[in-house]
Amino acid sequence: MNKKNKNRFSFDSRIDYGLILPAFLLILIGLYALHVALNQDFSATQASQMLGQQGLWIVVGIFIGLVVMHLDSRLLWKLTPFFYGVGLFLNVLPIFFYDHATAASTGAKNWLAFGGHNLFQPSEFMKIAYILFLAQIVVSFQNKLHTRRIKDDFRLIGRLLLATLPVMVLSIFQKDFGTFLVFVMILGGVILVSGISWKIILPIIALVAGVAGGIVALVMNPAGQKFLESTSFATYQVQRFIVWLNPFDPSNMQNISTQQAHSLIAIGMGGLWGQGLGVANVSIPVRESDMIFTVIGEDFGFIGSAFVILLYFVLIYRMIQVTFKSNNQFYTYISTGIIMMILFHVFENIGAAVGVVPLTGIPLPFISQGGSALMSNIIGLALILSMKYNQLPAFMDKREMLEQGKNRLEAKKTKRAQRR
């Protein structure tokens, strides 16, 4: 191998720094925001301990990410059913082993706990396993098709829904509606890029929009609220919609309403430039996790908040670029799922902080306190980094392979004709 090819495949040239830099900056901003939030809401000892844990999770996440980045698509393909199975098993455990105090305060049983100590959230790792499994389903299905008809699209949707069913059931038992919405967005993203006909997609979008509008309409009147509570919606979930529609209603200014209203106040007090470093004057419940964006808004104002949002846009834009350049279908669908996961987390978390959408308890990627979500995001980033690092053309579409075979045959025929 000559020097030029050696450089082309060197470790340094295979690392996508355009992906790493914005994520690294977001992690640094997250450590600062956590330092401010924890020192305001906890004792100095607790704050130092929790910040140290976040730092440890970052190190562990980076180490796992480096391992994941070196996994080529063939090995990843073989391990995917195992990851999905283990993910489902782990998600069953919080239904039985959970901390009663945490479940009472959040309304969900999504933390695995032993001896009164929360260990981790299995649903965060299930997101990655779910993405891998959906990607494998789509690629396997498409590679078996010679011609594609609309009935094939329905068959593919059926298989994807079948893979989603266990996740949905577990989310219902865990009472974790917010996390289930993330799975729905991942599913939607994979369906959109899988080549399914718009004759199917447009009615689905219309149906989802109609259901969302119907829920909002029901929440706006007492009879509708009672109806929702009689279905699968818990009382606290209905209250979150009520508070979202009218956060400063005096009759609602308690518990969850305080979180929503105080979030808007804190961000509003930040103004254009913010109030300065280390400021967190407005008391906000769970500021270090769900409401971490309020610290950024209060300290750095509109300019600092816009910069953080810009970093997310740069990160997602670079992810999309890498996806378009990939010649590996398996990686393409994995990347699509990860993009949808991070995009929805950002939209939902920041949207809830500024009052655009109801609160769901979804963390802000790379910034919010919590090891499970942080490591899941780093693993997702590592999977996209592995697309460039491994550069394997495995699992190509059959049509692509036939096309390449035809091109080779034509090239051989041309060479033979030239020799004659």
Side-chain angles (χ1 to χ4, degrees):
M1 186 181 288
N2 59 36
K3 189 175 180 182
K4 186 177 179 181
N5 285 334
K6 266 189 175 180
N7 290 334
R8 184 183 169 193
F9 294 102
S10 67
F11 178 83
D12 189 63
S13 65
R14 291 157 68 187
I15 299 297
D16 196 323
Y17 294 101
L19 277 172
I20 293 174
L21 181 60
F24 176 72
L25 291 175
L26 288 167
I27 288 172
L28 287 182
I29 292 168
L31 288 172
Y32 163 78
L34 278 177
H35 169 74
V36 175
L38 293 172
N39 278 284
Q40 288 290 330
D41 300 335
F42 297 89
S43 67
T45 304
Q46 284 180 305
S48 298
Q49 185 180 5
M50 292 171 76
L51 195 62
Q53 285 178 342
Q54 187 77 357
L56 179 62
W57 287 328
I58 291 169
V59 173
V60 172
I62 291 172
F63 174 76
I64 295 172
L66 285 170
V67 173
V68 169
M69 191 179 73
H70 284 78
L71 295 177
D72 64 61
S73 58
R74 296 178 192 277
L75 180 58
L76 204 57
W77 180 275
K78 291 176 182 177
L79 291 174
T80 290
F82 171 75
F83 289 147
Y84 181 76
V86 171
L88 289 178
F89 171 74
L90 290 176
N91 268 270
V92 172
L93 297 180
I95 300 170
F96 304 100
F97 304 101
Y98 63 93
D99 179 54
H100 292 274
T102 303
S105 63
T106 62
K109 301 175 183 176
N110 55 355
W111 277 90
L112 177 61
F114 285 104
H117 297 286
N118 290 321
L119 301 179
F120 66 96
Q121 286 181 285
S123 58
E124 293 296 336
F125 299 104
M126 185 65 213
K127 291 171 188 175
I128 299 297
Y130 177 71
I131 289 167
L132 291 171
F133 198 56
L134 290 191
Q136 189 175 70
I137 289 172
V138 175
V139 175
S140 296
F141 184 83
Q142 290 182 341
N143 283 346
K144 292 175 183 176
L145 292 178
H146 297 289
T147 58
R148 186 160 181 169
R149 293 162 291 183
I150 199 160
K151 70 175 185 179
D152 296 317
D153 290 346
F154 280 111
R155 284 171 54 213
L156 177 56
I157 290 173
R159 292 187 184 188
L160 294 174
L161 289 177
L162 197 61
T164 307
L165 183 61
V167 177
M168 182 185 73
V169 171
L170 289 171
S171 296
I172 292 170
F173 279 111
Q174 291 181 3
K175 299 181 181 179
D176 193 356
F177 180 68
T179 300
F180 179 65
L181 285 178
V182 181
F183 287 108
V184 171
M185 291 304 296
I186 292 168
L187 174 64
V190 171
I191 286 175
L192 279 174
V193 300
S194 64
I196 287 173
S197 172
W198 282 97
K199 292 178 182 178
I200 300 173
I201 291 174
L202 288 178
I204 292 174
I205 292 173
L207 177 64
V208 171
V211 170
I215 291 171
V216 173
L218 288 170
V219 168
M220 293 178 73
N221 68 83
Q225 293 166 18
K226 289 180 181 178
F227 171 75
L228 288 173
E229 289 176 7
S230 68
T231 60
S232 58
F233 280 84
T235 302
Y236 80 94
Q237 291 172 332
V238 176
Q239 288 175 344
R240 284 182 174 181
F241 276 98
I242 296 170
V243 168
W244 168 59
L245 293 170
N246 199 352
F248 294 104
D249 186 342
S251 62
N252 293 326
M253 286 294 287
Q254 57 182 349
N255 299 330
I256 195 168
S257 178
T258 302
Q259 190 179 37
Q260 181 81 77
H262 284 204
S263 170
L264 296 172
I265 292 168
I267 292 171
M269 287 178 66
L272 183 63
W273 297 102
Q275 298 196 71
L277 298 176
V279 177
N281 293 327
V282 183
S283 176
I284 303 169
V286 204
R287 177 169 23 207
E288 71 280 359
S289 180
D290 304 345
M291 293 284 112
I292 194 67
F293 190 73
T294 62
V295 177
I296 297 166
E298 194 171 356
D299 281 23
F300 301 110
F302 174 79
I303 300 298
S305 300
F307 176 71
V308 170
I309 294 171
L310 178 64
L311 285 176
Y312 282 117
F313 271 113
V314 170
L315 179 66
I316 291 165
Y317 173 72
R318 185 58 192 157
M319 286 179 173
I320 294 170
Q321 277 190 320
V322 172
T323 304
F324 280 140
K325 290 178 181 177
S326 174
N327 61 352
N328 185 313
Q329 277 199 323
F330 186 43
Y331 273 139
T332 298
Y333 291 111
I334 291 171
S335 180
T336 300
I338 292 164
I339 289 168
M340 293 304 296
M341 178 183 77
I342 293 177
L343 186 62
F344 185 72
H345 271 251
V346 173
F347 172 75
E348 177 57 42
N349 183 281
I350 296 178
V354 300
V356 174
V357 293
L359 289 167
T360 57
I362 289 178
L364 190 59
F366 304 107
I367 292 181
S368 288
Q369 190 255 349
S372 305
L374 178 62
M375 285 192 280
S376 174
N377 291 322
I378 292 175
I379 291 169
L381 184 65
L383 283 168
I384 296 180
L385 284 168
S386 69
M387 293 171 69
K388 182 178 178 181
Y389 185 81
N390 291 295
Q391 294 182 341
L392 292 175
F395 308 112
M396 288 187 296
D397 186 278
K398 276 189 173 181
R399 285 167 291 183
E400 290 178 305
M401 292 194 289
L402 287 170
E403 197 76 37
Q404 287 192 9
K406 286 178 182 178
N407 290 338
R408 290 194 192 102
L409 284 172
E410 286 176 8
K412 286 180 180 178
K413 286 178 182 178
T414 304
K415 284 181 180 179
R416 286 173 186 168
Q418 287 174 349
R419 286 172 187 169
R420 290 174 187 172

